[in-house]
Amino acid sequence: MKKRHLLAPGPTPVFPDALLAMARPILYHRGPEYEVLLGRVREGLRYLFQTKNEVLLFTSSGTGGMEGAVINTLSPGDRALVIRSGKFGERWGRSARPTACSRSISMWSGGGRSSPTR
């Protein structure tokens, strides 16, 4: 069998069982079968993270999770300090923009750690 690789980020080998699972029919996300599957996944995540609390699932990219965190913790007029030392910091700065909060952006060239006095 030809080896398949997932190329984001990668290359990452894909197990044959995973390839076969992707060939199965897709469950309708509002159907009863999906509701049962999602319940099992949520219960499994609670076990994985060793918590009795609900594990929050985002049906988005990591950036969507970041934006959700910012928008649900900052209000218009709040102040946010964004330390930009690369792409990850740039994303935090862009995530704070839609809240219309006051952003103080500190540029950091890297090579060490930032400090509150910079």
Side-chain angles (χ1 to χ4, degrees), residues 1-114:
M1 173 164 49
K2 182 178 178 182
K3 272 191 159 181
R4 304 272 183 201
H5 289 85
L6 181 65
L7 298 176
T12 302
V14 180
F15 290 105
D17 288 348
L19 289 172
L20 289 172
M22 290 189 291
R24 293 195 315 234
I26 296 174
L27 289 177
Y28 177 54
H29 70 281
R30 293 188 177 152
E33 297 92 357
Y34 185 81
E35 187 176 348
V36 171
L37 174 63
L38 183 59
R40 287 184 20 228
V41 168
R42 292 167 68 187
E43 192 59 42
L45 287 171
R46 280 195 284 276
Y47 174 78
L48 177 69
F49 292 114
Q50 293 296 292
T51 183
K52 294 183 187 320
N53 299 317
E54 188 63 38
V55 176
L56 184 61
L57 300 174
F58 278 94
T59 55
S60 67
S61 64
T63 301
M66 291 169 65
E67 289 175 355
V70 169
I71 288 171
N72 285 290
T73 56
L74 295 175
S75 299
D78 286 350
R79 294 174 57 199
L81 172 63
V82 179
I83 300 174
R84 286 179 31 186
S85 60
K87 292 295 180 191
F88 192 70
E90 287 176 18
R91 282 187 177 182
W92 280 112
R94 282 196 308 268
S95 294
R97 188 178 305 139
T99 63
C101 68
S102 165
R103 293 174 299 151
S104 175
I105 298 179
S106 172
M107 296 300 291
W108 179 250
S109 61
R113 63 181 186 206
S114 181

